[in-house]
Amino acid sequence: MKFFYCLLFYVFLFTPICFSQEFSENVFHIDKIPAEGILLNKGWKYHSGDNPEWANPNFNDTKWDNVNPDIDIHQLLKQKKDGNIGWFRLKIEVDSSLQDSTAALIISQVVASEIYLNGQLLYRFGAISTDESKEQTYSLHDRPFIIHFGKQNIQELAVRYSFNKKFFILFDVNPCVRLILKSPNQGFADYTSASVLTFALFISIISIYLLLGLFCLYFYISFRNEKSYLYIAVNSLGQAITILLYIFASLAITSISLSSFTFIFANTISSIGMLFLLNAFYIFFKCPKPYYYNFFIFYIVFAIPLSFMIYNYGRILIACFGAILTLEAIRIAIKAVFKKRHSSLIILIGMSVSFLFGCGNVYLTIMGKLAEAGYLVAVIFSIVPLFLSFFIAGEFARAALALQKRVFEVKQLSEKTIAQEHEKQQILSSQKETLEQQVQQRTSELKESLEDLKSTQAQLIQSEKMASLGELTAGIAHEIQNPLNFVNNFSDVNKELADELEQEIDKGNYTDAKVIAKDIKENEEKINHHGKRADAIVKGMLQHSRSSSGVKEPTDINKLADEYLRLAYHGLRAKDKTFNATMKTDFDESIGNINIIPQDIGRVVLNLINNAFYAVDEKKKQISDGYEPTVTVKTSKNPPPAGGGRGAEVLVSVKDNGNGIPQKVLDKIFQPFFTTKPSGQGTGLGLSLAYDIVKAHGGELKVETKEGEGSKFIIKLPA
C-alpha cells in the first residue's frame, strides 16, 4: 500500500501543496483561488451524532468542537469516542468576485459521506449508516467535482459522514475527508495530467516485469531442466499482477473492505513471488536451503495477513519481510562469489543496493516521512528487475561464448570437407572433358569403348551421389552442433563436480558428497541423451549415403522435402557465407504417407533444390538491388480423373525466381552430362539421374520455365 500511495500522490505530485487563506475563529475567508489551490483544513466545527437540521446554514454550531476533517480517520475515531457518525461544518466568506461562480472541489476520503452547500445536498458518496452491514464506505483520492457558490457573502459547507469498519489499511495517510478548492480548469487538468503520468509509470514497471517474466518462462519451456528460470518468471509475473491489483484496488474499487482484502491478496502474491526468486538463487548458485527456510513460509501464511490488522505497524512488518529475504539473497550471493560462481557478483551488488534502499524505507516509514519512503520504494521496484536482467544477460553471454568456440571448430571441419569436395568436383570435370574427347576420337571404335563408357558413367553416378552427401555434410554439421555442445558442456561440469566430490570426501562431508554424486549422475544422463540425439543425426546421414535397397516404404513426403530444403540451405551457407535466399513452403497435410524409395526421391529433391539455389544466387550477383532470391517448395495431391484409367497423383514442385532456362537448351536438360553451369561446377548427371529415378517410380519429371522470371520443376508420383 505504501508503494502505490507514495508513487501516486508524491512522486508525481498528485496531491498539490495547498495553502489556506486567512480565517477568523468561525469564518474561513476566500479572496481568490490560487493555482496551487486552497486546502480547507481550518475553521471546521464538529459534532458526533446525526441530525438533518445540521445541514441548515442558519444552525448555531458555536458550541461544537474545533477539529480538522483532514486528519487520519483512526486518529479522529480515537479523539471522538462517542460515535462513528458525525457532522463537519465550515462557514466560508467568499469574495464578491467568486460569488455565483463555479470551482473545482477536490475530494479525498475513506468514509461514507454527504456534502452540503448552503443546506443543499451536492454529492453523496456511499451509504451512511450506524449499522456496519448497511454502511457502504466510498474511497476517493483527489477526485475533482464541480461546486457552485451562491450569491450571498457567507456560504455554509457541511459534511455528514459515517465509518464503522473494524480494521483496514490502504495508504499511509487515510483522511476522513480532505477538501481542496481549485479553479475548474486547473482542478480537472491536474487530475488528468496526474492520471496519465501515473498510468505511464505503472505501464513502464509492469512492462519490465512482464517482459522479464515471459522471457524466462519461454526459456524454461524450451529447457525444462532449468527450473530457476521458472521461479524468476513466477516472481516477475507475480510482481506485475501485484501492481495491477494495486491499481484496481485504488482506482476501480470504492468499497474500503474490498480494497483492504485486495491489498492483502496483492501483498501475499508479491511475498510469494519474492520467495520464488530466492529459490531461483538457491538453484543458480547450487546453495542448499537453510534450516530457517520454513520461517519464510510461516511469515507469508500468518504474518502478512496479520499485518493488515495492525494499522500503525503493519506496513513496517511487510517492509521488514522484504528486507529479510533480501539479506538471505545477499548471503547466497556472497557464498557464490567466494566459490567463483558465474555472474554472482551482479546479484550481490543488486541485492545489496536493494537492501540499503529497503533499510532506508523502513527507517523513513517509522519516522513518518512517507513521501521520502515512497521514492525509495519506486527505486527498489526498478532495481530488482534491472539487475536480474543483467544477471540473465551474463548467463546467456557466457553460454554464447562457449557456443561460438564450438561453432568455430565445426566450421573448420566443414571447410576441410568442402575443400575435399571441391577437389572431387575438379576431378569429375577433368574426367568429363577427357571422356568427351575420347568419344569424338574413337567413334570408329564405339563397340570396344562402350563397356568402358558404361563403367565410367557408373563411377560418375556414384561420385554425384557422394557429392550430394558432401553438400549435406555442412547442413548436418549445423544440426549436430547443438547436442555436441551439450555433451561438452555437461562433461566440463562433471569434471568440476568430480573435483568438488573429491574435496568433500576428503573433508568427510559425505552428505554433500552424495548430493554432488547425484548431480554427476544426472549430468551423465543428459550426456547420454544428447549423445543419442547426435547418433540419430549421424544415422540419418548414413541412411542418405548408403546404397538404395530398392524397396519402397511408406514415407512422409512433406517431412522429406522440408528436411532436404533445410539441409541444402545450410550446406550452401557453409560454402559461401554471403549466400542468402528466402525459403517458402506450402505443404498439403492431407497427403499422408506414400510408397517410395526415400533415399532415391530424397536425392531428386535435393538436386532440384540445389539447382534452384544456384539459379537465384547467379541472378543476385547480376542484379544486386531490388531483387529478393526466393525458392518455394510445394506439395499437393491431384484426385483421380473422373473417367478412371489412373489413380491419384502427388505433386512435389521446386520453384525459383532466377533467370530461367533458355528455350534453345530446354530439350537437353535431362540428357546425361549436359549442364549450363561453368566448367568444374557441375557434372551434368543431376537432372538425368533425377529423371530416371522418378520414371522408375512410375512418375514423371516436368519443367516449366520463362526466361528472366524463373523455373519450376514438378515431380509427379503415384499416390
Side-chain angles (χ1 to χ4, degrees):
M1 284 61 67
K2 168 174 70 283
F3 162 75
F4 178 80
Y5 179 74
C6 293
L7 290 182
L8 186 62
F9 296 103
Y10 291 98
V11 175
F12 289 110
L13 302 181
F14 195 72
T15 302
I17 301 176
C18 304
F19 300 95
S20 301
Q21 299 195 5
E22 294 183 359
F23 66 95
S24 65
E25 183 178 356
N26 297 319
V27 180
F28 193 102
H29 299 275
I30 301 178
D31 299 327
K32 62 178 181 178
I33 301 178
E36 65 271 16
I38 302 173
L39 176 62
L40 304 179
N41 63 343
K42 296 180 180 180
W44 288 88
K45 295 291 186 177
Y46 170 81
H47 197 283
S48 62
D50 193 20
N51 188 340
E53 294 296 326
W54 293 347
N56 192 330
N58 297 322
F59 180 79
N60 184 6
D61 56 12
T62 56
K63 296 183 179 181
W64 284 20
D65 298 333
N66 294 320
V67 72
N68 177 13
D70 186 29
I71 64 175
D72 189 278
I73 182 64
H74 285 257
Q75 183 179 352
L76 178 66
L77 295 178
K78 288 180 181 180
Q79 294 179 2
K80 309 299 179 183
K81 298 181 180 180
D82 49 351
N84 294 331
I85 185 169
W87 285 72
F88 298 98
R89 288 170 53 88
L90 176 66
K91 285 184 172 58
I92 303 174
E93 183 179 357
V94 181
D95 186 78
S96 59
S97 61
L98 298 177
Q99 295 175 12
D100 196 21
S101 65
T102 59
L105 185 64
I106 313 300
I107 304 175
S108 298
Q109 67 168 48
V110 293
V111 297
S113 69
E114 294 175 354
I115 298 178
Y116 297 83
L117 180 64
N118 300 325
Q120 300 296 321
L121 176 64
L122 295 182
Y123 298 103
R124 177 183 288 112
F125 303 108
I128 298 176
S129 176
T130 56
D131 187 352
E132 181 181 352
S133 62
K134 297 180 180 179
E135 180 189 53
Q136 297 178 6
T137 53
Y138 203 93
S139 177
L140 290 175
H141 310 289
D142 284 356
R143 188 80 62 84
F145 296 90
I146 291 295
I147 182 173
H148 186 85
F149 290 114
K151 297 181 180 181
Q152 60 270 35
N153 184 32
I154 300 298
Q155 314 273 337
E156 184 72 35
L157 187 63
V159 178
R160 176 183 178 229
Y161 85 94
S162 71
F163 187 84
N164 297 281
K165 304 304 176 188
K166 300 304 181 185
F167 73 91
F168 77 99
I169 178 171
L170 290 179
F171 309 113
D172 293 305
V173 178
N174 298 283
C176 177
V177 178
R178 173 186 295 161
L179 302 178
I180 301 171
L181 283 178
K182 284 189 177 183
S183 64
N185 293 337
Q186 188 69 37
F188 285 91
D190 289 347
Y191 180 78
T192 303
S193 176
S195 299
V196 171
L197 291 175
T198 304
F199 181 76
L201 171 67
F202 284 127
I203 290 300
S204 299
I205 297 177
I206 291 173
S207 298
I208 293 174
Y209 277 112
L210 282 180
L211 288 175
L212 181 61
L214 293 177
F215 174 79
C216 292
L217 183 61
Y218 173 78
F219 189 81
Y220 169 72
I221 293 174
S222 302
F223 303 96
R224 293 298 179 91
N225 293 328
E226 300 293 339
K227 288 187 178 180
S228 53
Y229 288 97
L230 173 63
Y231 295 156
I232 293 179
V234 171
N235 170 68
S236 300
L237 297 177
Q239 300 302 335
I241 293 173
T242 297
I243 299 173
L244 286 174
L245 288 175
Y246 284 162
I247 299 173
F248 180 71
S250 302
L251 301 180
I253 301 177
T254 57
S255 171
I256 298 299
S257 298
L258 185 57
S259 295
S260 299
F261 287 109
T262 303
F263 278 118
I264 294 174
F265 183 61
N267 277 273
T268 303
I269 292 178
S270 178
S271 301
I272 293 174
M274 294 174 65
L275 194 60
F276 269 96
L277 180 61
L278 197 62
N279 278 273
F281 292 154
Y282 288 139
I283 296 175
F284 264 127
F285 302 127
K286 297 180 175 58
C287 181
K289 295 179 181 178
Y291 64 90
Y292 50 81
Y293 177 81
N294 291 332
F295 167 76
F296 300 146
I297 300 177
F298 172 83
Y299 201 103
I300 292 175
V301 175
F302 296 101
I304 295 295
L306 182 63
S307 65
F308 286 86
M309 302 181 186
I310 309 173
Y311 182 73
N312 292 327
Y313 302 102
R315 63 183 68 88
I316 299 177
L317 291 176
I318 298 173
C320 288
F321 181 63
I324 292 172
L325 293 184
T326 306
L327 273 178
E328 175 64 10
I330 292 174
R331 184 191 71 84
I332 299 170
I334 292 175
K335 190 174 181 180
V337 168
F338 280 107
K339 290 186 176 181
K340 297 182 179 180
R341 300 289 188 186
H342 295 289
S343 304
S344 56
L345 186 60
I346 296 176
I347 295 300
L348 177 59
I349 295 174
M351 291 296 105
S352 299
V353 174
S354 178
F355 176 74
L356 291 176
F357 281 104
C359 291
N361 172 58
V362 174
Y363 172 76
L364 292 175
T365 301
I366 295 175
M367 298 301 295
K369 298 180 179 181
L370 305 177
E372 293 81 354
Y375 286 113
L376 294 184
V377 172
V379 174
I380 294 172
F381 265 78
S382 303
I383 285 176
V384 175
L386 179 64
F387 277 88
L388 280 178
S389 300
F390 289 159
F391 172 74
I392 294 174
E395 288 294 305
F396 274 91
R398 183 176 63 85
L401 289 176
L403 178 63
Q404 184 178 8
K405 181 179 178 181
R406 302 303 178 189
V407 170
F408 179 75
E409 294 174 355
V410 174
K411 177 183 177 182
Q412 288 182 324
L413 177 62
S414 176
E415 289 176 350
K416 182 178 179 180
T417 304
I418 292 172
Q420 294 175 350
E421 293 302 321
H422 181 67
E423 183 180 354
K424 291 179 182 179
Q425 290 287 350
Q426 291 179 340
I427 294 174
L428 288 175
S429 178
S430 176
Q431 289 178 345
K432 175 186 174 183
E433 293 176 359
T434 302
L435 184 60
E436 289 178 348
Q437 292 175 1
Q438 290 176 351
V439 170
Q440 293 176 1
Q441 294 174 2
R442 300 179 183 179
T443 303
S444 59
E445 302 175 2
L446 180 60
K447 188 174 182 179
E448 294 180 1
S449 62
L450 182 60
E451 294 298 327
D452 295 334
L453 178 61
K454 290 182 179 180
S455 177
T456 304
Q457 183 177 359
Q459 294 177 7
L460 290 174
I461 291 174
Q462 183 62 26
S463 298
E464 177 69 19
K465 294 180 180 179
M466 294 304 296
S468 67
L469 176 61
E471 292 175 353
L472 285 179
T473 302
I476 293 174
H478 175 81
E479 291 295 313
I480 206 173
Q481 69 181 14
N482 284 335
L484 287 179
N485 287 340
F486 276 107
V487 170
N488 291 332
N489 287 339
F490 284 118
S491 296
D492 293 339
V493 172
N494 272 3
K495 182 179 179 181
E496 296 179 3
L497 290 176
D499 294 337
E500 293 184 12
L501 177 62
E502 184 178 353
Q503 295 174 4
E504 296 298 333
I505 292 176
D506 293 339
K507 295 178 181 178
N509 298 332
Y510 294 105
T511 301
D512 293 342
K514 288 181 180 181
V515 174
I516 296 174
K518 183 179 178 182
D519 292 340
I520 294 176
K521 183 178 179 181
E522 292 178 352
N523 289 344
E524 288 298 329
E525 291 176 354
K526 296 174 182 177
I527 291 173
N528 183 45
H529 168 74
H530 292 290
K532 289 181 179 180
R533 181 182 170 197
D535 179 65
I537 295 174
V538 173
K539 285 180 179 179
M541 179 178 68
L542 294 176
Q543 183 181 17
H544 173 80
S545 62
R546 68 181 173 87
S547 300
S548 173
S549 62
V551 178
K552 296 181 179 180
E553 57 187 67
T555 304
D556 188 343
I557 192 65
N558 292 338
K559 183 178 179 182
L560 183 73
D562 184 70
E563 176 184 359
Y564 280 95
L565 173 63
R566 178 165 43 83
L567 293 178
Y569 178 80
H570 288 301
L572 291 175
R573 283 278 296 174
K575 289 182 179 180
D576 183 8
K577 294 300 181 183
T578 62
F579 172 78
N580 197 9
T582 300
M583 299 181 293
K584 295 183 179 180
T585 58
D586 185 9
F587 296 145
D588 186 353
E589 299 297 336
S590 65
I591 294 177
N593 294 338
I594 61 174
N595 286 326
I596 58 173
I597 303 173
Q599 295 90 346
D600 292 346
I601 296 300
R603 292 189 181 102
V604 173
V605 173
L606 177 63
N607 182 272
L608 297 180
I609 293 173
N610 280 335
N611 287 345
F613 280 139
Y614 176 84
V616 298
D617 189 43
E618 288 297 309
K619 187 173 182 179
K620 179 64 176 179
K621 294 176 181 178
Q622 300 170 7
I623 307 174
S624 59
D625 296 329
Y627 171 68
E628 182 180 0
T630 304
V631 173
T632 304
V633 179
K634 178 181 179 181
T635 62
S636 59
K637 186 175 183 180
N638 287 342
R646 56 186 175 87
E649 293 179 329
V650 172
L651 277 64
V652 182
S653 65
V654 179
K655 181 181 178 182
D656 65 75
N657 62 345
N659 290 320
I661 303 173
Q663 290 294 326
K664 60 182 180 180
V665 300
L666 189 59
D667 295 334
K668 301 178 183 180
I669 61 174
F670 295 116
Q671 294 179 6
F673 306 110
F674 179 84
T675 178
T676 58
K677 298 179 181 179
S679 177
Q681 296 190 22
T683 63
L685 291 175
L687 287 178
S688 175
L689 289 176
Y691 185 87
D692 293 339
I693 291 172
V694 174
K695 189 174 181 181
H697 277 74
E700 182 181 6
L701 179 59
K702 299 177 63 178
V703 60
E704 298 175 0
T705 184
K706 189 172 183 181
E707 289 189 51
E709 295 184 8
S711 303
K712 179 179 180 182
F713 284 83
I714 304 171
I715 304 171
K716 289 185 178 181
L717 296 172

